[in-house]
């Protein structure tokens, strides 16, 4: 089973629960309707990777997200997550009304920074993502359609949240394709204070 790290200790998530279209501008940039209830899908443990892979064939797309670590039924930690998407396959599946797993839940479809304890107000959380030294995504709590506490309640209606499970809270506008050799720098901040940062070079 794949692991992530919380305060430098290994943790094994049973699943990653993802929230789609949780930022208005991102929904619009992909020509999707703005949802009236959370769009929820799951990545299995097998999708978690320690390295950022660009894939083969059609380029993958990055989606930077604030990721929340669950312990004892509540939010214990925060990290940066990259939700990787095969947009070409996703478009084909959406056009046919089919599930997204082949486009979202494949091997190596998500990478995370280390997770750190969340002592700052959750309302202060935001993210920044730079690729090749250019700021491509920024956003946070104030722009989310559905806030983390509400998401926790909604998810728990359908899924048991095990210790170590991760909620990815959606991505702000600025998603796009990336390629082998691209350099990523991802940061979670509380206001202007960096909480955790991670760098990857796409393989």
């Amino acid at each position: 089973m794949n692991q992530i790290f919380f305060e430098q200790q290994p943790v094994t998530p049973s699943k990653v629960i993802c929230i789609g279209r949780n930022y208005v501008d991102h929904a619009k940039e992909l020509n999707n309707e703005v949802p009236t209830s959370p769009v929820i899908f799951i990545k299995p443990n097998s999708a978690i990777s320690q390295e950022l892979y660009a894939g083969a064939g059609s380029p993958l797309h990055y989606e930077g997200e604030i990721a929340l670590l669950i312990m004892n039924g509540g939010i214990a930690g925060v990290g940066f997550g990259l939700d990787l998407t095969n947009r070409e396959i996703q478009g084909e599946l959406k056009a046919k009304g089919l599930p997204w797993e082949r486009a979202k839940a494949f091997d190596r479809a998500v990478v995370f920074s280390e997770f750190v304890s969340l002592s700052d107000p959750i309302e202060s959380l935001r993210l920044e993502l730079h690729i090749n030294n250019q700021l491509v995504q920024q956003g946070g709590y104030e722009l989310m359609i559905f806030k983390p506490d509400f998401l926790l309640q909604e998810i728990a209606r359908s899924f048991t949240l095990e210790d170590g499970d991760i909620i990815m809270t959606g991505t702000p506008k600025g998603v796009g394709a990336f390629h082998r050799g691209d350099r990523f720098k991802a940061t979670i901040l509380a206001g202007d204070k960096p909480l955790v940062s991670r760098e990857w070079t796409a393989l």
Side-chain angles (χ1 to χ4, degrees):
M1 296 284 281
N2 293 310
Q3 295 179 319
I4 54 92
F5 289 87
F6 177 41
E7 297 292 357
Q8 302 182 345
Q9 297 300 311
V11 174
T12 304
S14 73
K15 56 189 171 294
V16 179
I17 301 172
C18 304
I19 307 301
R21 306 174 190 172
N22 201 23
Y23 290 76
V24 171
D25 287 344
H26 170 63
K28 290 180 177 178
E29 78 176 336
L30 295 184
N31 297 315
N32 291 319
E33 292 183 2
V34 176
T36 56
S37 60
V39 176
I40 299 173
F41 61 95
I42 288 179
K43 293 178 185 273
N45 175 279
S46 57
I48 297 172
S49 176
Q50 297 299 320
E51 303 288 349
L52 175 59
Y53 290 91
S58 60
L60 300 180
H61 284 219
Y62 63 85
E63 299 183 5
E65 309 198 18
I66 296 171
L68 303 173
L69 181 68
I70 303 303
M71 291 287 184
N72 300 315
I75 298 167
V78 61
F80 194 107
L82 279 174
D83 171 6
L84 306 183
T85 304
N86 187 316
R87 197 73 73 195
E88 181 178 321
I89 291 177
Q90 186 187 35
E92 295 172 358
L93 295 171
K94 285 168 59 178
K96 296 176 181 178
L98 297 174
W100 297 355
E101 277 82 358
R102 287 181 55 228
K104 285 280 195 179
F106 52 88
D107 290 352
R108 302 173 177 175
V110 63
V111 294
F112 294 106
S113 70
E114 181 182 352
F115 285 76
V116 296
S117 296
L118 182 58
S119 55
D120 295 276
I122 198 166
E123 295 84 359
S124 68
L125 292 180
R126 64 185 185 90
L127 66 82
E128 292 182 354
L129 177 62
H130 292 77
I131 300 179
N132 299 327
N133 298 318
Q134 178 180 355
L135 180 64
V136 294
Q137 285 192 285
Q138 58 182 333
Y141 180 96
E142 74 283 356
L143 295 178
M144 293 178 186
I145 301 170
F146 306 107
K147 308 303 186 186
D149 287 344
F150 176 78
L151 292 174
L152 193 62
Q153 296 175 13
E154 283 296 296
I155 291 166
R157 292 176 187 272
S158 302
F159 305 102
T160 298
L161 287 166
E162 307 283 356
D163 283 356
D165 284 352
I166 296 167
I167 299 174
M168 298 185 75
T169 56
T171 191
K173 69 177 180 179
V175 304
F178 69 100
H179 306 277
R180 188 174 292 109
D182 285 344
R183 293 172 289 108
F184 285 62
K185 182 178 181 181
T187 306
I188 298 292
L189 305 101
D192 292 327
K193 179 179 73 173
L195 299 181
V196 62
S197 187
R198 174 73 188 268
E199 296 185 16
W200 297 274
T201 298
L203 302 177

